[in-house]
């Protein structure tokens, strides 16, 4: 059993392994695995880059 946290609301769920892994694969930014089979687990959440199309970074900084 996996203990998984939904980061948007802070709710914690106790789910079977296959359901927890499926949620983590589909929505990696929304879920964090806290425990695997009763043992604490350090889950790293990958941050996604912001959309650079709306950025003025390339207008402000000179690129070589």
């Amino acid at each position: 059993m996996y203990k998984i946290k939904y980061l948007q609301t802070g709710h914690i769920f106790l789910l079977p392994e296959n359901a927890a892994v499926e949620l983590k694969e589909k929505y990696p930014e929304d879920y964090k695995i806290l425990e695997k089979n009763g043992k604490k687990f350090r889950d790293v959440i990958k941050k996604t880059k912001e959309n650079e199309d709306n950025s003025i970074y390339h207008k402000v900084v000179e690129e070589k």
Side-chain angles (χ1 to χ4, degrees):
M1 297 297 280
Y2 280 38
K3 190 181 281 189
I4 191 167
K5 181 177 184 180
Y6 184 57
L7 297 175
Q8 303 296 326
T9 60
H11 289 95
I12 298 174
F13 303 98
L14 191 60
L15 300 171
E17 180 180 356
N18 57 356
V21 171
E22 182 180 334
L23 282 173
K24 182 66 178 171
E25 287 176 357
K26 285 185 179 179
Y27 311 103
E29 297 90 23
D30 294 341
Y31 290 95
K32 181 177 181 182
I33 296 174
L34 302 174
E35 291 183 8
K36 285 185 176 183
N37 299 322
K39 296 180 182 177
K40 291 189 179 189
F41 179 75
R42 186 172 180 194
D43 192 11
V44 178
I45 299 174
K46 297 179 183 176
K47 294 185 179 184
T48 58
K49 281 190 167 182
E50 301 245 350
N51 188 358
E52 294 183 11
D53 295 337
N54 298 332
S55 176
I56 62 167
Y57 180 79
H58 64 279
K59 295 178 182 177
V60 177
V61 178
E62 290 183 17
E63 295 182 15
K64 293 182 180 181

